[in-house]
Amino acid sequence: MTDAKASTIARCKASRLYDPIKEHGLRAFIFHPKYDISFYGIEKCHPFDSGKWGRVCKQLMDRGYLDEGCILRPMEATKDDLLVVHTKCYLYTLKWSIVLVGILEVPLIMFFPACLVDRKVLSRFRLQTGGTVLASRVALELGAAVNIGGGFHHCSASRGGGFCPYADITLSLKFLFINKLVSKAMIIDLDAHQGNGHETDFMNNDDVYILDMYNSGIYPYDLRSRKAIRKNVRLGFFVEDEEYLNLLKDALVEAKSEFLPDIVVYNAGTDCLVGDSLGCLSVTAEGIIKRDELVFQAFRRASPPVPVVMVTSGGYQSNNAKVIADSLANLIDKASVPFIPPYETLRYAEWSIVCASRIAPVRLLDPLFTHCDLPADKSLFIGDTVPRKAMKGLCNAFRNNISSFVVSRSLLLTVHSV
């Protein structure tokens, strides 16, 4: 083993990016209020909506889909964390404002000291990068997780661009590979732009399968990195729902037949939304909701199910936040983002099952009470725990009828190992 490889492994093992799981338990949604970028109004000079992440979370909370108890706050990726993927030379160049102008595409940044840009802008990207790393680990336990941020798919180990200063997708997979948590991974990139960053990083890597569906007539025009794409779906301008969704269905079927991953990283950019002047596609909000559902169903309902981690990536319109929130709400309603691990995980461990309802009391369905030997008129409140002696029956209930666990989206059962 070379010194460089040993150093990379040591950095990964010493990282604290997974620590929020130990401290706060498993939660399917990753978000931090500091994701949003505010830099004296200069952020408005870029078409990217740098406040959409907070609005997505707020909309889901206002509509009762999320509360603070459902959200896991990530840690900011440190320099040592970033060096697991990035070169020292690249990280050093981020100290120069002129370099940041090229990456963040905001010329006014050159008039500000790089240390200020780092504190007000880059730190937000590092926090979201930590969120993607954390979400990938959570997904392995819960079956799915969403980082309401991240998806910086134009950044590679040695080069940033396209408002992407850190390679969060590459970093999240490197952490999983180094910790021997997965051996094969799939990246599904449905942002309107080609994901040339992670494609550059995983060039000639047989353990990573990339499906990229993008408008080939727009940035980044990276012909070299396209060689890393195993399922290459090139779109023309202004493709609409029917054609887009049919192409996606076919691509998902073919990808699954060619490669069986241990995890899927889904880059769910919404710049394919109709009216986006940079994505130049014509997919409606309903089409995006259906798109996300197709990806989750393809892998969460597979046999065996494959964990999916979703990042939100690009989108350059004021209504992107609502579209993302609507799609996540649909995934929650369809149980595509589960809050409990699969039956096989339950069967081989001791668990306490905790009711985490926003509307208390909530009556559970009778089958669950039958299996758990609880009285039929029992109502569970927030914080109530099903007795551990009922675990065997509870596992059987989960195996036979998942609806036994969920009355509606107002009731979530979260599982914590003890």
Side-chain angles (χ1 to χ4, degrees):
M1 182 185 298
T2 64
D3 290 344
K5 186 174 182 180
S7 179
T8 297
I9 293 174
R11 287 190 177 100
C12 186
K13 297 291 186 181
S15 174
R16 297 188 60 208
L17 292 181
Y18 290 159
D19 282 7
I21 298 174
K22 302 174 186 177
E23 297 170 5
H24 305 289
L26 293 166
R27 302 172 190 178
F29 289 88
I30 314 300
F31 174 75
H32 197 290
K34 290 185 178 180
Y35 274 13
D36 289 349
I37 298 171
S38 178
F39 189 47
Y40 309 114
I42 294 175
E43 71 280 356
K44 296 178 182 178
C45 295
H46 193 282
F48 189 89
D49 181 2
S50 59
K52 74 176 181 181
W53 307 291
R55 289 204 301 279
V56 170
C57 199
K58 184 178 185 303
Q59 288 188 35
L60 289 171
M61 286 183 168
D62 289 346
R63 293 154 63 179
Y65 281 91
L66 291 183
D67 57 30
E68 285 295 336
C70 302
I71 297 171
L72 196 58
R73 292 192 177 187
M75 301 179 70
E76 182 179 326
T78 66
K79 180 180 178 181
D80 276 346
D81 294 327
L82 296 171
L83 284 171
V84 171
V85 166
H86 290 293
T87 64
K88 290 183 179 180
C89 180
Y90 172 70
L91 294 182
Y92 181 77
T93 65
L94 298 182
K95 298 179 182 292
W96 296 87
S97 295
I98 190 64
V99 173
L100 295 176
V101 167
I103 295 172
L104 301 178
E105 302 172 334
V106 180
L108 287 176
I109 283 179
M110 73 172 65
F111 299 109
F112 291 83
C115 60
L116 182 60
V117 179
D118 182 89
R119 186 167 72 250
K120 299 288 288 185
V121 180
L122 292 184
S123 64
R124 269 55 171 177
F125 284 104
R126 289 194 294 270
L127 192 58
Q128 293 189 43
T129 297
T132 301
V133 173
L134 179 62
S136 65
R137 184 67 184 90
V138 170
L140 290 181
E141 300 298 328
L142 293 184
V146 179
N147 181 19
I148 306 179
F152 310 133
H153 65 154
H154 294 308
C155 186
S156 66
S158 59
R159 184 177 182 181
F163 209 64
C164 299
Y166 302 112
D168 65 320
I169 293 175
T170 302
L171 188 65
S172 68
L173 291 181
K174 288 286 188 179
F175 265 65
L176 295 179
F177 284 133
I178 291 173
N179 284 296
K180 300 187 184 304
L181 295 169
V182 302
S183 59
K184 295 184 295 182
M186 181 181 291
I187 299 172
I188 297 178
D189 196 332
L190 300 187
D191 188 277
H193 299 83
Q194 177 198 344
N196 59 318
H198 57 73
E199 289 161 8
T200 298
D201 289 336
F202 292 114
M203 185 76 68
N204 301 319
N205 188 328
D206 293 336
D207 295 327
V208 178
Y209 184 105
I210 298 175
L211 185 165
D212 200 345
M213 185 165 156
Y214 59 96
N215 184 342
S216 59
I218 59 175
Y219 176 89
Y221 313 107
D222 193 334
L223 299 179
R224 180 183 176 279
S225 67
R226 288 181 189 177
K227 297 176 183 178
I229 304 173
R230 304 269 285 275
K231 184 55 60 182
N232 190 348
V233 185
R234 299 170 62 182
L235 303 174
F237 286 91
F238 308 115
V239 170
E240 297 182 351
D241 285 10
E242 184 176 2
E243 180 182 358
Y244 183 90
L245 293 174
N246 285 335
L247 287 170
L248 176 59
K249 290 175 185 176
D250 292 342
L252 289 172
V253 170
E254 293 173 14
K256 288 172 62 180
S257 68
E258 295 173 5
F259 191 83
L260 181 61
D262 298 319
I263 190 170
V264 170
V265 178
Y266 173 36
N267 194 53
T270 49
D271 48 2
C272 54
L273 183 65
V274 61
D276 193 298
S277 60
L278 297 183
C280 298
L281 297 176
S282 296
V283 181
T284 65
E286 293 75 18
I288 288 176
I289 292 170
K290 183 62 177 177
R291 174 199 73 172
D292 294 348
E293 185 179 328
L294 285 172
V295 173
F296 273 83
Q297 287 182 350
F299 293 94
R300 294 303 305 134
R301 295 185 181 180
S303 182
V306 178
V308 179
V309 55
M310 173 178 170
V311 290
T312 55
S313 200
Y316 305 93
Q317 299 182 83
S318 59
N319 60 339
N320 281 104
K322 183 179 185 304
V323 173
I324 296 170
D326 288 345
S327 182
L328 292 177
N330 178 64
L331 292 175
I332 294 172
D333 283 337
K334 299 291 177 62
S336 293
V337 181
F339 292 86
I340 48 180
Y343 165 72
E344 292 298 324
T345 304
L346 278 170
R347 189 170 64 175
Y348 295 111
E350 291 186 326
W351 302 87
S352 64
I353 310 298
V354 181
C355 177
S357 171
R358 292 181 301 282
I359 304 175
V362 176
R363 286 284 302 277
L364 295 180
L365 295 181
D366 287 342
L368 182 58
F369 292 112
T370 301
H371 286 293
C372 294
D373 297 320
L374 296 175
D377 60 350
K378 170 72 174 176
S379 294
L380 292 183
F381 291 79
I382 294 174
D384 283 355
T385 302
V386 176
R388 191 180 301 177
K389 66 181 181 180
M391 287 303 100
K392 181 178 179 180
L394 196 58
C395 289
N396 290 332
F398 183 87
R399 179 184 60 186
N400 295 329
N401 185 5
I402 192 170
S403 66
S404 299
F405 286 80
V406 183
V407 176
S408 68
R409 64 179 174 82
S410 65
L411 176 65
L412 307 175
L413 287 172
T414 58
V415 182
H416 305 277
S417 60
V418 294

